[in-house]
Amino acid sequence: GAKSIGKNNYHYYTKSMRDAALKRMTLISDLRHAIENEELFIVYQPIVEMHNGYCTKAEALIRWQHPVHGVIGPLEFIPVAEETGLIIDISNWVFSQVCRDVRHWRKTLCPTLQLSINTSPIHYTDPDRCITQWLDTLLETRTPPQAILLEITENLLMDANQSVSTKLFQFRQAGVDIALDDFGTGYSSISYLKKYPTDILKIDKSFVHSMSEVSNDKVLCEAIIVMAKKLGIKVVAEGIETEEQRNILQKMGCEYGQGYLFAKPLKYQDFDALLKRQKQDELACLAH
Ligand code: C2E
Ligand code: MG
Ligand code: MG
Ligand code: MG
């Protein structure tokens, strides 16, 4: 009867809960070592200008080369890193790698390149832990602030207080651009545009993907783009996978695109090769 099923479920859940706890503890201790063992790496996904496909920006996305489980994506370990505070060390590492890479590529291949970094709530709420260090890193390494774009998400801003906007202003005053990531997936996206300084708005891929099926989403996409334009904010559409999506968004006036149609996130060497090809094309164009 129902009772015995309930009983079995109880046993089932306790075992699976124990397994989950064990898995989590292993993940945490592995992650701790991942930093010192240099198992983390960054891939760069091109953000291109819609009208000519030219790449002048890229998003830094973290990956973990686990010695046993292979490559692990951020969705599987960033939440744990945030809960345990390991995100601080990880993000400081990401920040300095990105600074080093953008300086190199600006010098050699693309003088206007801008690289974007994803940030977590803790970066803005923990008193001065990251922000000050990151601003110091910019100065010490002589990285031009305009070479960096910080991505923030709505869930970061949802329970934000005064200190978050103060810190965002600090960054912006230093010359760093701010992007609102995954726009449209939260509850009150528009009110954030009023409260927080924003240079770029990234339309979430779920919107882009449902554009052709849900006509409301198409209308909303266009409205977001028009609104952003009037506010002087540039728009990046995320997760573009088809020509159709690209054409629709371009007609709507969306300036930048990111997605598998243009490129997957690329390893350092592959992104380097893309910039090289692009520079050669540019020189060839000038010669004609
Ligand atoms: P996000 O910032 O929204 O990044 C975009 C995600 O969409 C990436 O997933 C990217 O690989 C994926 N994507 C790009 N183009 C397409 C497409 O055409 N189709 C589809 N279906 N997906 C596409 P990824 O790399 O797994 O990253 C997931 C999330 O993890 C990111 O979402 C970001 O919030 C977070 N994340 C990544 N790196 C970092 C990091 O260094 N620090 C922090 N705090 N979070 C990070
Ligand atoms: Mg992002
Ligand atoms: Mg995003
Ligand atoms: Mg997203």
Side-chain angles (χ1 to χ4, degrees):
K3 220 173 181 178
S4 69
I5 291 173
K7 216 170 184 185
N8 284 340
N9 275 348
Y10 176 76
H11 284 291
Y12 173 77
Y13 279 123
T14 46
K15 186 181 182 311
S16 80
M17 276 161 72
R18 211 182 315 118
D19 287 351
L22 194 66
K23 208 173 148 200
R24 187 188 147 86
M25 275 159 62
T26 315
L27 184 74
I28 293 169
S29 97
D30 285 357
L31 191 53
R32 240 180 219 123
H33 295 117
I35 306 169
E36 57 206 52
N37 294 349
E38 299 178 17
E39 292 164 8
L40 299 176
F41 65 99
I42 296 169
V43 286
Y44 291 103
Q45 186 174 33
I47 298 172
V48 306
E49 291 178 22
M50 285 286 222
H51 69 282
N52 59 10
Y54 200 78
C55 166
T56 48
K57 303 182 195 299
E59 178 171 11
L61 296 161
I62 198 167
R63 298 286 181 268
W64 176 10
Q65 181 70 55
H66 191 282
V68 179
H69 306 300
V71 176
I72 302 180
L75 295 177
E76 284 185 62
F77 67 91
I78 290 292
V80 173
E82 287 175 343
E83 287 158 28
T84 53
L86 287 171
I87 191 73
I88 296 288
D89 284 346
I90 293 175
S91 304
N92 287 344
W93 177 81
V94 170
F95 194 85
S96 55
Q97 293 290 303
V98 169
C99 284
R100 190 199 60 189
D101 291 349
V102 81
R103 276 197 319 274
H104 172 72
W105 282 324
R106 278 189 160 229
K107 232 185 284 161
T108 56
L109 295 168
C110 182
T112 56
L113 184 69
Q114 187 179 43
L115 295 180
S116 77
I117 298 171
N118 289 285
T119 58
S120 300
I122 195 168
H123 298 130
Y124 303 92
T125 48
D126 242 43
D128 286 330
R129 264 166 102 182
C130 273
I131 306 297
T132 324
Q133 183 161 346
W134 290 359
L135 289 174
D136 286 348
T137 304
L138 281 179
L139 275 175
E140 281 161 18
T141 61
R142 298 193 189 181
T143 307
Q146 60 270 27
I148 301 291
L149 182 64
L150 288 185
E151 297 195 7
I152 56 173
T153 58
E154 281 177 55
N155 57 15
L156 155 68
L157 301 177
M158 213 148 65
D159 41 29
N161 49 25
Q162 189 55 42
S163 84
V164 175
S165 50
T166 307
K167 275 172 189 150
L168 286 172
F169 273 113
Q170 254 175 289
F171 264 120
R172 213 150 168 258
Q173 223 153 24
V176 175
D177 276 351
I178 306 290
L180 204 44
D181 199 5
D182 302 338
F183 191 81
T185 56
Y187 290 105
S188 45
S189 313
I190 290 180
S191 73
Y192 295 126
L193 289 180
K194 244 172 53 167
K195 258 192 272 173
Y196 300 98
T198 308
D199 303 283
I200 289 183
L201 193 154
K202 298 187 80 176
I203 300 181
D204 192 64
K205 56 175 178 274
S206 61
F207 257 99
V208 173
H209 294 171
S210 58
M211 256 188 342
S212 45
E213 302 108 59
V214 190
S215 62
N216 265 354
D217 280 17
K218 199 169 159 186
V219 175
L220 286 173
C221 251
E222 183 158 25
I224 291 171
I225 293 166
V226 170
M227 176 187 66
K229 276 218 151 132
K230 295 212 165 166
L231 292 168
I233 297 169
K234 297 249 183 281
V235 178
V236 177
E238 277 192 331
I240 300 180
E241 292 177 357
T242 67
E243 284 290 349
E244 192 203 356
Q245 289 163 350
R246 191 193 80 96
N247 292 338
I248 295 173
L249 287 158
Q250 197 186 345
K251 270 201 208 103
M252 291 174 175
C254 178
E255 289 103 334
Y256 297 96
Q258 180 180 357
Y260 299 160
L261 176 68
F262 308 110
K264 292 226 156 144
L266 302 171
K267 291 213 170 130
Y268 181 93
Q269 285 307 332
D270 296 324
F271 187 67
D272 188 74
L274 179 145
L275 290 180
K276 273 198 185 107
R277 274 198 308 278
Q278 194 168 269
K279 189 179 180 183
Q280 272 156 12
D281 288 351
E282 216 180 2
L283 292 174
C285 259
L286 286 175
H288 282 108

